[in-house]
Amino acid sequence: MPSQKTVKSKKTRTILSDEFYSDIEVADMIHAVLIRSPRNSGLVAGIKLPDLGEEYKFFSANDLPGSKTVKVNNTEIPVFCGKRIQYLGEPVGILTGPDEYVLNKLKNKVHVILHDSDEEQMPETPSITKTVSNFQISQEEFEQIFNKELTISSTWKSKIRIPSFSEPEGALCQIKNSTARISTPTRWFSNLRNAVASTLNFTPDNIAITKTKIQPYSKNGLWRNSIICAQTALAALKTGRPVKLCFSQDEHRKFINSVFPLEISYRTAINSSGKILAMDIKIEADIGAFDPFANEILDRLMIASCGIYNFENFRIQAVAKTSRNPPSVQSIDFIVAQASFALESQMNRISEVTGIMPFELRSANICSTMKNSSMPFSIPIENDVEKHEALTRVCDIKRKFTTYRLDSIERRKKSNMLEQFPLRGIGMASSASCYEYYGSPIQFETPKIEVTMESENSLVIKSMPPSAAILAIWKEKAASILGIKQSEIKVSSNFENNDEPLMPENFYTNISIMTELLKKCCIAIQRKAKKGIFPVTVKKAVPKNVKAQWNAQRLAGIPFGSASFATAAVELELDPCTLRCKLRGIWMVIDAGQLLMENEAKNRIYLEINRALGVFFERQELDCSKISVVFISSQSSPKPIQGLVLNTLPAAFLSALSQAISETITSLPVNHEILFQKYALKNETLQDKQHQEKTEQETSVYSKTLTLQESPALAKSNDESDDLNHLQQTTQQDLIQNTDSISKCASQNSQEELHK
């Protein structure tokens, strides 16, 4: 009979809950709202409060018993602003009370007194500037090559925001027996614990965290969630009652699901065969008042600005500028997707100008292997031709691109051509979705996993909660190695003592890293279990020398541990009268390694596509009834699919839209004012020019006729005189008819212009 080891009980400090924090109600609970700065600059001189009575209380930075700032990646972030305002809406205090309705009325009556407004000055935090280059030629020749070869220059701007319909950010905190118990949808346990402990002057062991339910694809504040919990914990400590702070939808949109303005300029030199000879790139990012991860964001943007391509000669100049905007808490992967949008839009612009097929242009410049790369960093994509050919088969992009491009060229020449028919276009984009960035400053601990075989037929995996798809893969792997039923495999995310993860949750739910670590654990358990002594516990972590493959200072080496690939096409049409957009089809071909649950993966992609359709237009929701997703069969290790849609679909959409209106659109999201300026006004101008030219021609004919009439040489005979009279009468009749036609057209144009 197998023997059992004695296991000491430990105190659990982190647990999971199936409830949303906003649904939790506890006895004697009160509510809280944040008081924010009404301006984006100035010194806080005081706060004038209305009559609060006995039940309503206000607390500010002066009431914090511990640290007044929270340190995140060497950046000191104030819990409440006590001195100089850095951005519009910066919290200066928290107001508590039993009634939410009364709280919001009192909130509007609080007056924040600000002196020395300095709206023209920038925050004290300096901008970050970085430059990286790689030349196979001299720098002088690099500059000259843009004068010798065909050069295409464009600037791409994006302010992408995916609509969020999830639970807004917030927290519930109660303090009992010198222990702060916090319920919140956190994704970073260690940062939350340290933030609350430092501001309350508690020990980290006296902070108990309950991770509440998080909806899929919901926006979480990451480090900002820790600040919110510290603010709520202060209110609970001072009032002695449980306090719930819940953001409004407007607050969540402005401070959690905020935009990250990005502008990337490309100057590309290309030869006649489609080979890119030189690429000059300039990146300008607005990081808000501050950003703890500004350096990593800038590094990732520089890598993504080259993407999967191999540029023999390139120069990247990047700057992350501070501003009076709120700090962005968008995930870095989401920000990087905007760089992929700019790069793929530039590739589509090159294709449109040169006439080279989009997939042929990409295949001519793609990086297939690290050995063939001339760049200091790259993301190699193997068998790219096969994947692009798969896309051409499912959507017929060769024929459609050629046809729509010819129509687009004709519309540039003749504005009124085909106006009675829908305006159509098609675009494509190819990109990789990369994970396990080796240069992340918060990877002070390598990802690890713990697996325990409690008995011959029972297995427990200790990890952050994975998605349903990843959990199914884990169970299949473990069951096949250990020979147990999948139903006997469980995942535990209740961490004890110092076992909780030090890094954010997304580092521990990576499919490729954690699946490989799980496989190694199960193989080790298989060997140890032969002794018949249970439980058997094995811990595995990513080797530290793996990160040595990447030099973040020089941006050289292998930057990522894994990458999936996708190529996508979007076909659309515009109504020539209303300029309303209709999607005719979306096609995606994906290489994500081995798929154990293809239907689950397809559903995930369909969901991401439907969410991405909300970023294309500012005030128009798109839908598409024809969506095709094809996965390339592969036996390589599974790779993440999240991010592939946002990395490809926006650029493909914008290319199709530009082709449809015969004008290049360079910003996302698009509004109908831009379409009107690019298409409708251009057509009116060309039509007016055509009418003017026609009028000048007719006037010239009439003048010549009058000259002929007055010439005495033409009156030599009666026959010649009769012919002249007949010519005069005919010309005058034609001129009267044309004049009436021109008058009608002018009147019609005036009425249309007045109507507009």
Side-chain angles (χ1 to χ4, degrees), residues 153-401:
S153 301
S154 302
T155 298
W156 308 95
K157 301 177 182 180
S158 58
K159 291 183 180 180
I160 298 176
R161 186 209 313 265
I162 295 183
S164 175
F165 305 102
S166 60
E167 177 189 47
E169 192 64 84
L172 169 63
C173 181
Q174 46 189 327
I175 298 178
K176 293 181 180 180
N177 302 324
S178 300
T179 298
R181 302 183 181 278
I182 302 171
S183 300
T184 186
T186 182
R187 296 184 187 269
W188 197 356
F189 288 109
S190 64
N191 181 258
L192 168 57
R193 188 183 309 283
N194 294 330
V196 175
S198 64
T199 54
L200 297 187
N201 208 14
F202 281 19
T203 62
D205 288 338
N206 288 337
I207 310 297
I209 302 173
T210 299
K211 179 187 174 182
T212 55
K213 188 175 181 180
I214 300 179
Q215 291 175 295
Y217 300 102
S218 63
K219 292 294 179 184
N220 180 269
L222 202 59
W223 59 264
R224 191 184 283 274
N225 174 266
S226 302
I227 304 292
I228 293 170
C229 291
Q231 295 164 342
T232 310
L234 170 66
L237 179 68
K238 291 296 183 179
T239 60
R241 301 171 65 179
V243 176
K244 181 191 289 184
L245 171 62
C246 184
F247 274 26
S248 65
Q249 288 293 341
D250 185 60
E251 284 180 305
H252 188 85
R253 182 182 63 85
K254 290 180 179 178
F255 302 106
I256 303 300
N257 192 28
S258 56
V259 297
F260 187 92
L262 183 64
E263 179 178 312
I264 302 183
S265 300
Y266 286 92
R267 186 170 56 139
T268 308
I270 185 171
N271 63 18
S272 57
S273 62
K275 182 65 177 177
I276 294 177
L277 303 177
M279 186 76 85
D280 194 8
I281 307 170
K282 294 182 179 179
I283 302 173
E284 185 174 315
D286 183 349
I287 60 174
F290 53 84
D291 195 313
F293 305 105
N295 277 292
E296 180 183 353
I297 289 173
L298 211 56
D299 290 346
R300 295 281 299 274
L301 286 175
M302 295 172 77
I303 297 171
S305 67
C306 295
I308 58 178
Y309 302 106
N310 181 24
F311 303 138
E312 294 181 356
N313 304 284
F314 75 90
R315 178 177 58 197
I316 307 175
Q317 297 169 293
V319 57
K321 294 184 176 180
T322 55
S323 68
R324 294 294 185 182
N325 294 324
S328 175
V329 290
Q330 292 283 8
S331 69
I332 296 180
D333 295 324
F334 181 82
I335 295 172
V336 167
Q338 298 186 77
S340 298
F341 154 75
L343 173 61
E344 290 302 304
S345 296
Q346 178 70 5
M347 297 297 287
N348 288 331
R349 175 64 180 154
I350 295 171
S351 178
E352 187 68 29
V353 172
T354 60
I356 302 173
M357 287 291 178
F359 50 88
E360 293 178 353
L361 175 66
R362 287 166 170 82
S363 295
N365 295 280
I366 209 163
C367 177
S368 56
T369 61
M370 290 295 296
K371 294 181 179 179
N372 297 333
S373 175
S374 57
M375 300 181 62
F377 58 85
S378 58
I379 306 168
I381 302 298
E382 298 179 357
N383 302 322
D384 64 284
V385 175
E386 173 190 348
K387 295 154 191 172
H388 286 139
E389 287 181 351
L391 181 67
T392 61
R393 288 195 298 269
V394 297
C395 68
D396 193 18
I397 190 174
K398 288 183 179 180
R399 179 184 62 84
K400 291 178 180 178
F401 176 81

Side-chain angles (χ1 to χ4, degrees), residues 9-14 193 205 495-500:
S9 62
K10 298 179 181 180
K11 181 181 178 181
T12 300
R13 301 187 305 162
T14 304
R193 188 183 309 283
D205 288 338
F495 298 99
E496 304 158 346
N497 295 338
N498 296 321
D499 292 337
E500 71 182 4

Side-chain angles (χ1 to χ4, degrees), residues 702 705-706 708-709 721-737:
Y702 183 56
T705 303
L706 292 178
L708 292 174
Q709 182 183 16
S721 178
D722 293 339
D723 292 339
L724 179 62
N725 291 334
H726 177 71
L727 176 63
Q728 177 183 357
Q729 293 175 359
T730 304
T731 305
Q732 288 177 343
Q733 291 176 357
D734 291 341
L735 181 60
I736 291 173
Q737 292 177 357

Side-chain angles (χ1 to χ4, degrees), residues 681-696:
L681 290 181
K682 178 201 69 172
N683 286 355
E684 286 186 5
T685 302
L686 290 176
Q687 288 175 0
D688 291 343
K689 184 178 180 180
Q690 290 173 357
H691 285 308
Q692 183 180 359
E693 291 176 351
K694 185 176 181 180
T695 303
E696 291 175 353

